Amino acid sequence: KLLFVVMIGGCFYSINTPLYYSLIIEKKQKFVLIAYAITTILSYFISKGFVENIGIMGAGYAFLLNMFTLCAFILIVKALTL
């Protein structure tokens, strides 16, 4: 079950990568920085709570949620800067 959760998180990350590079090519680094900064702050609180309460499976869920959050922010930035 943990492997499946981590793999889904990796899928979100793989969706994020080409979008990230397209924003860099379009010189939208400022928006990428903001998306990563917000995700980093949210990640701290999400990961802390999940790992303390669920353990290693919580770490997997936190990774999935963090990658989904990052992907969502990058997609929003990409959509707004078209």
Side-chain angles (χ1 to χ4, degrees):
K1 188 174 180 181
L2 176 62
L3 179 60
F4 180 72
V5 170
V6 172
M7 286 175 64
I8 298 298
C11 289
F12 283 117
Y13 185 72
S14 69
I15 293 168
N16 179 50
T17 302
L19 295 172
Y20 164 82
Y21 284 115
S22 70
L23 287 169
I24 297 298
I25 290 168
E26 295 169 3
K27 302 205 182 289
K28 309 283 187 197
Q29 296 94 327
K30 179 175 45 174
F31 297 111
V32 172
L33 177 64
I34 292 168
Y36 270 89
I38 292 170
T39 303
T40 300
I41 293 166
L42 291 174
S43 175
Y44 174 77
F45 296 106
I46 291 168
S47 299
K48 186 173 170 59
F50 274 58
V51 172
E52 285 178 355
N53 292 321
I54 309 174
I56 191 71
M57 196 64 200
Y61 289 138
F63 174 72
L64 172 62
L65 191 54
N66 291 332
M67 291 301 104
F68 175 78
T69 304
L70 180 60
C71 187
F73 279 132
I74 294 292
L75 280 170
I76 290 168
V77 167
K78 184 69 177 165
L80 292 176
T81 59
L82 287 176

